[in-house]
Structure formats: structure tokens, C-alpha cells
Amino acid sequence: MKNYRSVEVKILGKDYKYKVDEPEEIINEVLQDIKTEVESYAKKIGGEEVDYILLLILLNEKLNNIKTKNEISNIIEKFGDTLNSILKSSDAEKKEGKNNNIKWG
């Protein structure tokens, strides 16, 4: 069973309390980043609508997650194709009696 503990953050005058089981140093960093980002948005748009700002941040995070997943998929596909080509070439050379090991670095 996980050990949950309470954490609290105050953003734009409102207190938010959560139960978490992640390491304290990680949670504190995340909460501080969120607090800083919300306060920065509040200054830019001139308001203190925390819910609106948090939803905007969540939207941006989700969009960044989608972009990152797509980039990772493209990298995996690219290097997968390259690796398969190298392995096929290596297999063909082994059949011909050649032994060219792949060297990294």
C-alpha cells in the first residue's frame, strides 16, 4: 500500500491541497513550476482566474505531450529502419563468410 502525504501550494491567494505519494523533492519542484507559470500567465493576461490559467497550462502540456510522442515515434521509426538495414546487411555478410561487427563510437 502506498504512503500518501499531504502537500499544499498557495497560488494567487488560494490554497490547494493534494495527497501524493511521489518523492518530496519532485513534488515540490513540480508545484513550484506550476505556481511560477500560473503567476506569470496572470501577469500577462491581467487577471487572477486561476481555473482558466490552470486549464490553459493543462492544454499546453497536453499539446506538448502529443508533439513529444509524435517526435519519439518518428525517431523510433527512423532508427528502427536504420538498424534493420544494418542488421540485414550484417546477416548477408555473415552468409557470405564475412564478419564485420558493428562498432559504436
Side-chain angles (χ1 to χ4, degrees), residues 12-57:
L12 298 178
K14 289 187 177 181
D15 291 324
Y16 297 90
K17 296 177 185 178
Y18 301 96
K19 297 274 187 187
V20 299
D21 65 340
E22 291 82 4
E24 185 174 355
E25 61 275 3
I26 293 173
I27 286 299
N28 288 342
E29 182 180 344
V30 169
L31 289 175
Q32 185 57 47
D33 287 350
I34 290 169
K35 177 181 170 89
T36 301
E37 194 168 351
V38 168
E39 290 170 351
S40 174
Y41 272 109
K43 286 178 186 175
K44 288 178 188 175
I45 64 175
E48 292 189 3
E49 297 290 329
V50 176
D51 295 341
Y52 175 81
I53 294 169
L54 290 173
L55 186 57
L56 180 61
I57 291 170

